[in-house]
Amino acid sequence: MTSDLSVVPAHPPGEVTSSRIESSVPAVFVPETVAVDTPGGRVHVEWDAHAPVTPMGQLVFFTQFLKTADLFDPWVTDCPLRYTSPNAPEVRDVLGTLFLSILAGHHRYAHVTALRHDTVNPPLLGMSKVVSEDSMRRAFEDAPAEKIELWQRHHLQLSYQPLLYEPWILDVDTTIKTLYGRQEGAQVGFNPHKKGRPSHVYHTYFMGRARLALDVEVQPGKQTAALYSQPGLWHLVDQLPKEARPWLLRGDCAFGNESLMAQAESRGQKYLFKLRLTRKPKDLIRQMEQTGDWKEAGQGWQGREGSLRLQGWSRSRRVIILRRKLAQAAENPALGQRSQLLLNWTGLFPVQGPSYEYAVLVTSLSEEILTLAQLYRDRADMENNFDELKNQIGRPFRGHRLV
């Protein structure tokens, strides 16, 4: 055995000095100019390390993506806008102005004026000029709504259709958008954030976990029920090839109704919805609590499987009852009772057990309880999507058409 301990360092080496980094990392050659193909032709981009960064500085590379993916030119060509006046603007200029304004974060037609003197970015899209806000307002005023909708839906579908041939989940939900001022379709309906304020309702169809909005229908503020989502939902599903349809349709308690589930079953579409805790679900929970045998459902939840047929349902359906123990029973100011009295136990010796919160799921899936509980918990990411849709990405232009 050798006594030389120098080959084994007592401590790992410390931070690498800048000189050692410079000697170990090969130098990267940055070209002075980069050739980029855009819809307006080839341009050369020069790098200036000392110039300030501009909001639209990276647009040239986005236009290169539009060119190589062949997205912008077909979108312009297929547009149903037609002008007969010799003084009318070009369709490419109208759509390009709208496109640049949205990328600049504008949400009103009046903001288009800020782009009028831009002579760099419009040529990247093959535009001859930036049109005025009046031309923007009048462009779609008398346009055929059905043709415009088909045009937009077709090109939107081209952007996500290749993803649909892998198993995916279609999340459906609605959200309230509070409105101020005078806007088309603004009605005073159910508005949990600003009671009494007019609003729009966004009926939205998301690809679960991918953060992709496949379609958004803007409807008047009184049309919050899931009934108003169904025409657009089934239109979206039925137009897809059978192999591209969603593996699962998922929604909250607003969508757990006979009309939607019967439509899904007639199409062979699997679904997972939440049910409201009405009388019959509560009776089933009471029955399950008396028999016990709860199974692990993950993240502190326990579950049991049962069968339920509510009034108005055409058949019995599989339901999953989930419960989770509460650390502290919450007071109900309206009833003056604790949440453990949800089941309204009666008898000579009332149960003095832990407090639980309950959830009831209805599904056509055959998977185990743990899998179904996690599938529904994954739906919580929808709230992040709505936050981005309403507050982060921006707002639609005033005067946009309602469905």
Side-chain angles (χ1 to χ4, degrees), residues 151-381:
W151 164 61
Q152 287 287 62
R153 287 182 183 274
H154 170 69
H155 286 275
L156 177 62
Q157 186 176 352
L158 291 178
S159 65
Y160 61 75
Q161 189 171 10
L163 301 176
L164 303 183
Y165 293 90
E166 297 291 337
W168 60 285
I169 297 175
L170 176 58
D171 280 312
V172 292
D173 207 346
T174 59
T175 187
I176 307 298
K177 177 63 177 179
T178 304
L179 301 176
Y180 300 91
R182 299 179 180 178
Q183 297 197 34
E184 180 188 359
Q187 294 181 354
V188 178
F190 173 72
N191 191 339
H193 308 294
K194 296 284 186 178
K195 294 183 179 180
R197 289 296 310 177
S199 62
H200 280 163
V201 183
Y202 291 175
H203 295 262
T204 315
Y205 316 111
F206 281 106
M207 179 183 289
R209 302 300 295 271
R211 298 288 182 91
L212 289 178
L214 306 186
D215 202 355
V216 180
E217 291 185 297
V218 184
Q219 300 190 19
K222 292 184 179 180
Q223 299 181 0
T224 57
L227 175 67
Y228 298 102
S229 295
Q230 292 191 40
L233 169 64
W234 298 125
H235 180 270
L236 173 65
V237 172
D238 292 341
Q239 70 178 353
L240 296 176
K242 187 175 182 180
E243 59 274 13
R245 294 182 180 179
W247 171 73
L248 178 66
L249 183 62
R250 184 169 59 184
D252 61 11
C253 56
F255 295 88
N257 56 71
E258 167 66 20
S259 175
L260 198 148
M261 290 188 291
Q263 290 282 349
E265 290 163 353
S266 66
R267 292 170 169 82
Q269 175 64 61
K270 299 179 180 179
Y271 57 82
L272 175 63
F273 301 122
K274 191 177 182 180
L275 290 179
R276 291 187 174 92
L277 292 180
T278 53
R279 182 180 61 84
K280 284 194 174 181
K282 286 183 180 180
D283 290 342
L284 183 60
I285 293 174
R286 183 181 295 107
Q287 178 183 351
M288 295 299 180
E289 285 286 6
Q290 291 175 343
T291 56
D293 193 24
W294 292 85
K295 298 180 181 179
E296 178 64 29
Q299 298 188 18
W301 290 87
Q302 296 175 318
R304 285 206 58 187
E305 178 180 345
S307 179
L308 191 63
R309 181 174 181 176
L310 299 182
Q311 184 177 3
W313 284 15
S314 59
R315 54 185 291 267
S316 296
R317 294 182 172 93
R318 183 191 184 196
V319 295
I320 304 298
I321 298 92
L322 300 174
R323 73 175 189 180
R324 181 172 62 177
K325 186 183 297 184
L326 296 174
Q328 183 177 2
E331 294 287 349
N332 189 329
L335 301 178
Q337 298 175 335
R338 294 183 178 272
S339 60
Q340 68 180 14
L341 300 182
L342 165 70
L343 303 180
N344 192 22
W345 295 105
T346 58
L348 183 61
F349 302 102
V351 176
Q352 297 294 332
S355 300
Y356 292 98
E357 59 174 318
Y358 296 89
V360 181
L361 308 179
V362 57
T363 183
S364 60
L365 295 172
S366 58
E367 277 72 10
E368 60 181 2
I369 293 176
L370 178 61
T371 301
L372 295 175
Q374 186 59 48
L375 276 173
Y376 193 81
R377 284 194 294 268
D378 291 342
R379 186 191 164 275
D381 190 50

Side-chain angles (χ1 to χ4, degrees), residues 51-73:
V53 178
T54 60
M56 305 290 282
Q58 300 296 323
L59 179 63
V60 60
F61 298 104
F62 185 56
T63 56
Q64 182 188 33
F65 161 73
L66 297 177
K67 174 67 175 179
T68 56
D70 196 24
L71 294 176
F72 188 77
D73 289 337

